[in-house]
Amino acid sequence: MQERAVRTREVILRAAAEVFDEFGFSGASISKIMKRAGVTQGGMYFHFPSKEALAQAVMVEQGGGLELPPGENGLQRLIDITLYLAEELQTNPKLRAGVRLAVEQGEFGVQDDSAYRAWAEEFGGQLSAAREKGELLPEVNVEELAWVLVSAYTGTQLFSQISSGRTDLHQRVVSLWRYLLPGVAAPPLRPLLTFAARRRRAVA
Amino acid sequence: MQERAVRTREVILRAAAEVFDEFGFSGASISKIMKRAGVTQGGMYFHFPSKEALAQAVMVEQGGGLELPPGENGLQRLIDITLYLAEELQTNPKLRAGVRLAVEQGEFGVQDDSAYRAWAEEFGGQLSAAREKGELLPEVNVEELAWVLVSAYTGTQLFSQISSGRTDLHQRVVSLWRYLLPGVAAPPLRPLLTFAARRRRAVA
């Protein structure tokens, strides 16, 4: 029973993500999501009492189920993760919906930065590893830079979404790194960092 | 008559900005805006046929009426402008509402990047002046960097809005510049650039 409940919750979240991704918060409805998930009203309300609760869960769990690219933690892997996310933002409904809701949350009266903080923690973990390996300039503050990266990435994907439906997102993420790396990476590392779209191993 | 129409339009836009700033798109209504502006239905519909048209105008004209800080065009003035915008985003209803609508536009079915492009043009103008004065590293591409700056700034103000109601925005803009300047500014200029909150003159 427990296992089945977990599975049902997952099916509902996936359906909710698809509907929010397609229609946004105000265009989505519980009945649309129930129909897409193939669950009864009872099953739905057991897990999520409202559309707001569903949106909150999709927003906060946006990174769940992602298979981040492998490799040794550090600056190259952080770059790889940002490029991987640029790809997933084209096609992955959970990530797309979670990001969309996190950006548009003001429209439905929510003010919750936990999704942003989760990414800052993920990026900060890679930066801490980079620091240990001597990959960062001494003046870099790991926590401050993690927040700068999440901020800059958020705006990059948003502007790209509005301009091009994110078709140019990969190139824009590369541009962002181009101007950030001189203030971040130790000079000997810089020429070794690569921006290939589908790297599966870290170089450093 | 012509002049009066212009004034009425301005009064309506100002009222619309206040209402959108406070309630967002879905929480705003034409009647709320009419009441706030003190105009009749006829006066309103003469200028704006719908709430969508009002939102579009507020979004696109978000920078109208700003008094950008004076100074010689270039990198210091660009920094001054970004810090000035961080202040105005605390209190200026037209800018706040325009930015809010530009971020949340997906929720009301709009996809219009013209407000973002207008800022990219403004920032790009400062960067072109900086290039002429030899303030930029030779590898900087002015147009690419302008888009990176608008992207990064958009995300910075959004994350700050959600985390702190923008009370920490000034500090976050300074952090952004801290990591970007080494990839942007010619080394002799860097120590001369300042981040005082209310600079009224450029140094460079």
Side-chain angles (χ1 to χ4, degrees), chain A residues 24-26 100 104-107 111 113 116 139 141 144 147 151 155 159 161-163 172 175 178-179, chain B residues 24-26 100 104 106-107 111 113 116 139 141 144 147 151 155 159 161-163 172 175 178-179:
Chain A
F25 181 80
S26 52
R100 176 174 185 170
E104 295 172 2
Q105 59 180 283
E107 257 302 295
Q111 187 171 357
D113 70 350
Y116 296 86
E139 57 268 34
N141 176 313
E144 181 188 38
W147 282 53
S151 298
F159 190 2
Q161 158 66 14
I162 295 172
S163 289
R172 289 195 191 209
S175 295
R178 192 159 114 71
Y179 295 99
Chain B
F25 181 81
S26 53
R100 176 174 184 171
E104 295 173 3
E107 256 302 297
Q111 186 171 358
D113 71 350
Y116 296 87
E139 57 267 36
N141 175 315
E144 181 188 37
W147 282 53
S151 298
F159 190 2
Q161 158 67 14
I162 295 172
S163 290
R172 290 196 190 209
S175 294
R178 191 159 115 72
Y179 295 99

Side-chain angles (χ1 to χ4, degrees), chain A residues 9-80:
Chain A
R9 185 177 186 280
E10 196 43 53
V11 168
I12 294 173
L13 266 188
R14 167 84 193 195
E18 289 175 8
V19 172
F20 284 129
D21 176 30
E22 199 170 333
F23 301 101
F25 181 80
S26 52
S29 68
I30 289 267
S31 63
K32 241 181 227 166
I33 294 167
M34 273 170 47
K35 201 174 158 194
R36 178 91 53 128
V39 297
T40 62
Q41 201 159 26
M44 173 62 88
Y45 288 104
F46 175 75
H47 291 284
F48 299 101
S50 66
K51 189 166 83 165
E52 283 72 14
L54 264 169
Q56 190 89 8
V58 169
M59 199 165 82
V60 172
E61 297 174 40
Q62 63 178 253
L66 289 175
E67 294 184 25
L68 297 185
E72 201 183 302
N73 286 348
L75 206 44
Q76 180 64 62
R77 184 155 188 247
L78 177 55
I79 292 170
D80 291 351

Side-chain angles (χ1 to χ4, degrees), chain A residues 166-187:
Chain A
R166 295 205 188 98
T167 53
D168 65 359
L169 181 54
H170 176 90
Q171 190 45 53
R172 289 195 191 209
V173 173
V174 173
S175 295
L176 176 64
W177 279 116
R178 192 159 114 71
Y179 295 99
L180 278 173
L181 281 177
V184 170

Side-chain angles (χ1 to χ4, degrees), chain B residues 19-20 24-34 44 51 54:
Chain B
V19 172
F20 285 129
F25 181 81
S26 53
S29 67
I30 289 266
S31 63
K32 239 180 229 166
I33 295 167
M34 271 170 47
M44 173 62 90
K51 189 166 83 164
L54 265 169

Side-chain angles (χ1 to χ4, degrees), chain A residues 124-168:
Chain A
Q126 298 302 325
L127 290 172
S128 294
R131 161 123 304 150
E132 299 250 313
K133 293 198 284 179
E135 294 179 347
L136 302 182
L137 293 170
E139 57 268 34
V140 168
N141 176 313
V142 162
E143 201 183 338
E144 181 188 38
L145 177 57
W147 282 53
V148 165
L149 284 173
V150 171
S151 298
Y153 198 92
T154 298
T156 300
Q157 72 78 23
L158 176 57
F159 190 2
S160 166
Q161 158 66 14
I162 295 172
S163 289
S164 75
R166 295 205 188 98
T167 53
D168 65 359

Side-chain angles (χ1 to χ4, degrees), chain B residues 75 130 133-138 140 181-193:
Chain B
L75 206 45
K133 293 198 282 178
E135 294 180 348
L136 301 182
L137 292 170
V140 168
L181 281 176
V184 169
L189 181 67
R190 266 164 55 200
L192 303 176
L193 297 168

